[in-house]
Tab-separated table of all heavy atoms in Angstrom:
chain	number	residue	atom	x	y	z
A	256	THR	N	9.426	111.430	40.999
A	256	THR	CA	10.120	110.175	41.247
A	256	THR	C	10.986	109.778	40.058
A	256	THR	O	12.041	109.175	40.224
A	256	THR	CB	9.105	109.050	41.534
A	256	THR	OG1	8.082	109.531	42.416
A	256	THR	CG2	9.776	107.866	42.181
A	306	GLU	N	14.071	114.651	45.520
A	306	GLU	CA	13.198	114.320	46.649
A	306	GLU	C	13.724	113.163	47.486
A	306	GLU	O	13.156	112.838	48.536
A	306	GLU	CB	11.790	113.968	46.133
A	306	GLU	CG	11.571	112.522	45.729
A	306	GLU	CD	12.300	112.097	44.459
A	306	GLU	OE1	12.815	112.987	43.741
A	306	GLU	OE2	12.372	110.896	44.176
A	311	PHE	N	14.506	118.604	48.617
A	311	PHE	CA	13.859	119.528	47.674
A	311	PHE	C	12.965	120.532	48.393
A	311	PHE	O	12.528	121.528	47.797
A	311	PHE	CB	13.099	118.778	46.587
A	311	PHE	CG	11.859	118.027	47.013
A	311	PHE	CD1	10.816	117.833	46.120
A	311	PHE	CD2	11.715	117.485	48.276
A	311	PHE	CE1	9.677	117.142	46.469
A	311	PHE	CE2	10.568	116.793	48.652
A	311	PHE	CZ	9.562	116.620	47.749
A	323	ASN	N	5.930	112.944	38.373
A	323	ASN	CA	5.193	111.792	38.884
A	323	ASN	C	5.466	111.667	40.383
A	323	ASN	O	6.428	112.234	40.893
A	323	ASN	CB	5.592	110.491	38.163
A	323	ASN	CG	7.061	110.480	37.815
A	323	ASN	OD1	7.907	110.593	38.689
A	323	ASN	ND2	7.370	110.362	36.537
A	324	VAL	N	4.604	110.943	41.071
A	324	VAL	CA	4.770	110.710	42.513
A	324	VAL	C	4.492	109.235	42.783
A	324	VAL	O	3.364	108.775	42.611
A	324	VAL	CB	3.816	111.582	43.351
A	324	VAL	CG1	4.065	111.328	44.837
A	324	VAL	CG2	3.986	113.062	43.029
A	325	GLU	N	5.522	108.517	43.167
A	325	GLU	CA	5.390	107.095	43.501
A	325	GLU	C	6.171	106.805	44.768
A	325	GLU	O	7.056	107.571	45.164
A	325	GLU	CB	5.941	106.221	42.376
A	325	GLU	CG	5.085	106.146	41.145
A	325	GLU	CD	5.596	105.067	40.208
A	325	GLU	OE1	5.487	103.882	40.568
A	325	GLU	OE2	6.100	105.411	39.126
A	326	ALA	N	5.872	105.691	45.375
A	326	ALA	CA	6.643	105.250	46.530
A	326	ALA	C	8.055	104.904	46.081
A	326	ALA	O	8.247	104.073	45.201
A	326	ALA	CB	5.984	104.043	47.172
A	327	ASP	N	9.039	105.559	46.659
A	327	ASP	CA	10.445	105.263	46.417
A	327	ASP	C	11.234	105.884	47.567
A	327	ASP	O	10.709	106.690	48.338
A	327	ASP	CB	10.895	105.831	45.062
A	327	ASP	CG	12.228	105.241	44.608
A	327	ASP	OD1	12.704	104.265	45.231
A	327	ASP	OD2	12.804	105.749	43.625
A	328	HIS	N	12.492	105.526	47.654
A	328	HIS	CA	13.362	106.044	48.723
A	328	HIS	C	12.747	105.775	50.097
A	328	HIS	O	12.801	106.618	50.997
A	328	HIS	CB	13.621	107.544	48.530
A	328	HIS	CG	14.097	107.894	47.157
A	328	HIS	ND1	15.317	107.484	46.668
A	328	HIS	CD2	13.499	108.586	46.150
A	328	HIS	CE1	15.462	107.917	45.413
A	328	HIS	NE2	14.371	108.580	45.089
A	329	LEU	N	12.176	104.585	50.230
A	329	LEU	CA	11.531	104.247	51.503
A	329	LEU	C	12.555	104.066	52.618
A	329	LEU	O	12.183	104.065	53.800
A	329	LEU	CB	10.675	102.995	51.341
A	329	LEU	CG	9.534	103.121	50.322
A	329	LEU	CD1	8.699	101.860	50.304
A	329	LEU	CD2	8.658	104.337	50.621
A	330	ASP	N	13.841	103.925	52.270
A	330	ASP	CA	14.879	103.892	53.294
A	330	ASP	C	14.949	105.218	54.031
A	330	ASP	O	15.328	105.280	55.203
A	330	ASP	CB	16.239	103.565	52.681
A	330	ASP	CG	16.629	104.516	51.559
A	330	ASP	OD1	15.750	104.867	50.736
A	330	ASP	OD2	17.811	104.908	51.491
A	331	HIS	N	14.551	106.303	53.348
A	331	HIS	CA	14.515	107.626	53.985
A	331	HIS	C	13.139	107.938	54.554
A	331	HIS	O	13.017	108.371	55.705
A	331	HIS	CB	14.902	108.711	52.975
A	331	HIS	CG	14.680	110.109	53.492
A	331	HIS	ND1	15.532	110.720	54.387
A	331	HIS	CD2	13.670	111.000	53.272
A	331	HIS	CE1	15.069	111.931	54.687
A	331	HIS	NE2	13.949	112.125	54.018
A	332	TYR	N	12.089	107.699	53.767
A	332	TYR	CA	10.747	108.140	54.152
A	332	TYR	C	10.030	107.166	55.087
A	332	TYR	O	9.212	107.583	55.906
A	332	TYR	CB	9.895	108.373	52.904
A	332	TYR	CG	10.275	109.625	52.147
A	332	TYR	CD1	11.041	109.559	50.990
A	332	TYR	CD2	9.884	110.877	52.602
A	332	TYR	CE1	11.391	110.710	50.294
A	332	TYR	CE2	10.232	112.039	51.920
A	332	TYR	CZ	10.993	111.941	50.762
A	332	TYR	OH	11.343	113.076	50.085
A	333	GLY	N	10.280	105.884	54.907
A	333	GLY	CA	9.641	104.905	55.773
A	333	GLY	C	8.305	104.391	55.274
A	333	GLY	O	7.926	103.255	55.556
A	334	SER	N	7.552	105.219	54.522
A	334	SER	CA	6.242	104.790	54.026
A	334	SER	C	5.880	105.585	52.784
A	334	SER	O	6.389	106.689	52.556
A	334	SER	CB	5.163	105.002	55.092
A	334	SER	OG	4.948	106.390	55.311
A	335	ALA	N	4.968	105.014	51.992
A	335	ALA	CA	4.490	105.719	50.803
A	335	ALA	C	3.775	107.007	51.201
A	335	ALA	O	3.893	108.033	50.511
A	335	ALA	CB	3.560	104.815	50.000
A	336	GLU	N	3.037	106.967	52.320
A	336	GLU	CA	2.311	108.157	52.771
A	336	GLU	C	3.262	109.318	53.036
A	336	GLU	O	2.950	110.480	52.739
A	336	GLU	CB	1.508	107.839	54.030
A	336	GLU	CG	0.329	106.892	53.808
A	336	GLU	CD	0.748	105.461	53.526
A	336	GLU	OE1	1.896	105.081	53.888
A	336	GLU	OE2	-0.061	104.722	52.924
A	337	ALA	N	4.436	109.010	53.585
A	337	ALA	CA	5.412	110.064	53.864
A	337	ALA	C	5.959	110.662	52.573
A	337	ALA	O	6.241	111.872	52.501
A	337	ALA	CB	6.541	109.512	54.720
A	338	VAL	N	6.096	109.816	51.539
A	338	VAL	CA	6.530	110.324	50.234
A	338	VAL	C	5.498	111.312	49.693
A	338	VAL	O	5.830	112.425	49.268
A	338	VAL	CB	6.734	109.170	49.235
A	338	VAL	CG1	7.087	109.718	47.850
A	338	VAL	CG2	7.825	108.220	49.723
A	339	PHE	N	4.227	110.910	49.698
A	339	PHE	CA	3.169	111.775	49.169
A	339	PHE	C	3.094	113.082	49.965
A	339	PHE	O	2.879	114.161	49.390
A	339	PHE	CB	1.824	111.047	49.218
A	339	PHE	CG	1.815	109.751	48.457
A	339	PHE	CD1	1.067	108.670	48.897
A	339	PHE	CD2	2.567	109.593	47.294
A	339	PHE	CE1	1.054	107.471	48.209
A	339	PHE	CE2	2.571	108.395	46.600
A	339	PHE	CZ	1.814	107.328	47.058
A	340	ASP	N	3.252	113.004	51.274
A	340	ASP	CA	3.206	114.194	52.111
A	340	ASP	C	4.325	115.160	51.757
A	340	ASP	O	4.111	116.387	51.751
A	340	ASP	CB	3.313	113.793	53.587
A	340	ASP	CG	3.342	115.008	54.510
A	340	ASP	OD1	2.306	115.704	54.606
A	340	ASP	OD2	4.396	115.272	55.126
A	341	SER	N	5.505	114.628	51.418
A	341	SER	CA	6.619	115.517	51.078
A	341	SER	C	6.319	116.305	49.806
A	341	SER	O	6.697	117.474	49.692
A	341	SER	CB	7.913	114.711	50.909
A	341	SER	OG	7.901	113.935	49.724
A	342	PHE	N	5.621	115.699	48.849
A	342	PHE	CA	5.265	116.425	47.628
A	342	PHE	C	4.184	117.471	47.910
A	342	PHE	O	4.166	118.535	47.280
A	342	PHE	CB	4.837	115.448	46.532
A	342	PHE	CG	6.000	114.829	45.810
A	342	PHE	CD1	6.534	113.621	46.228
A	342	PHE	CD2	6.577	115.465	44.730
A	342	PHE	CE1	7.616	113.048	45.581
A	342	PHE	CE2	7.661	114.912	44.064
A	342	PHE	CZ	8.187	113.693	44.491
A	343	ASP	N	3.291	117.191	48.829
A	343	ASP	CA	2.330	118.215	49.243
A	343	ASP	C	3.060	119.422	49.819
A	343	ASP	O	2.707	120.579	49.538
A	343	ASP	CB	1.372	117.652	50.295
A	343	ASP	CG	0.292	116.760	49.699
A	343	ASP	OD1	-0.085	116.979	48.529
A	343	ASP	OD2	-0.175	115.855	50.401
A	364	GLY	N	-0.276	109.647	41.041
A	364	GLY	CA	0.243	110.398	42.178
A	364	GLY	C	0.336	111.884	41.911
A	364	GLY	O	-0.036	112.715	42.755
A	367	ALA	N	-3.226	113.387	41.659
A	367	ALA	CA	-3.809	113.553	42.991
A	367	ALA	C	-3.210	114.762	43.687
A	367	ALA	O	-3.922	115.523	44.368
A	367	ALA	CB	-3.575	112.290	43.814
A	368	LEU	N	-1.913	114.975	43.504
A	368	LEU	CA	-1.263	116.155	44.069
A	368	LEU	C	-1.848	117.426	43.459
A	368	LEU	O	-2.138	118.398	44.179
A	368	LEU	CB	0.240	116.095	43.804
A	368	LEU	CG	1.038	117.338	44.175
A	368	LEU	CD1	1.031	117.558	45.687
A	368	LEU	CD2	2.479	117.236	43.654
A	371	ARG	N	-5.246	118.101	44.920
A	371	ARG	CA	-5.166	118.609	46.297
A	371	ARG	C	-4.665	120.039	46.335
A	371	ARG	O	-5.022	120.817	47.226
A	371	ARG	CB	-4.239	117.717	47.140
A	371	ARG	CG	-4.765	116.319	47.387
A	371	ARG	CD	-3.968	115.607	48.479
A	371	ARG	NE	-2.553	115.465	48.165
A	371	ARG	CZ	-2.024	114.421	47.529
A	371	ARG	NH1	-2.809	113.430	47.124
A	371	ARG	NH2	-0.722	114.344	47.307
A	480	HIS	N	14.240	102.316	39.200
A	480	HIS	CA	12.935	102.064	39.802
A	480	HIS	C	12.121	101.306	38.749
A	480	HIS	O	12.314	101.509	37.547
A	480	HIS	CB	12.265	103.407	40.157
A	480	HIS	CG	10.930	103.268	40.834
A	480	HIS	ND1	9.769	102.987	40.132
A	480	HIS	CD2	10.570	103.378	42.141
A	480	HIS	CE1	8.760	102.940	40.987
A	480	HIS	NE2	9.213	103.168	42.201
A	514	GLU	N	11.912	96.017	48.420
A	514	GLU	CA	10.567	96.584	48.283
A	514	GLU	C	9.937	96.291	46.923
A	514	GLU	O	8.731	96.105	46.818
A	514	GLU	CB	10.611	98.101	48.511
A	514	GLU	CG	11.017	98.534	49.907
A	514	GLU	CD	9.965	98.221	50.944
A	514	GLU	OE1	8.787	98.032	50.571
A	514	GLU	OE2	10.323	98.145	52.136
A	515	PHE	N	10.747	96.251	45.873
A	515	PHE	CA	10.196	96.238	44.512
A	515	PHE	C	10.678	95.067	43.664
A	515	PHE	O	10.652	95.148	42.432
A	515	PHE	CB	10.549	97.549	43.799
A	515	PHE	CG	10.024	98.783	44.477
A	515	PHE	CD1	10.900	99.722	45.007
A	515	PHE	CD2	8.667	99.014	44.595
A	515	PHE	CE1	10.429	100.864	45.632
A	515	PHE	CE2	8.183	100.157	45.217
A	515	PHE	CZ	9.067	101.085	45.737
Side-chain angles (χ1 to χ4, degrees):
T256 317
E306 86 290 348
F311 69 151
N323 36 58
V324 182
E325 286 190 68
D327 195 10
H328 309 294
L329 299 184
D330 55 319
H331 171 77
Y332 287 102
S334 68
E336 291 71 21
V338 176
F339 302 146
D340 177 68
S341 72
F342 279 92
D343 283 331
L368 173 66
R371 293 193 300 270
H480 182 281
E514 296 290 340
F515 300 115

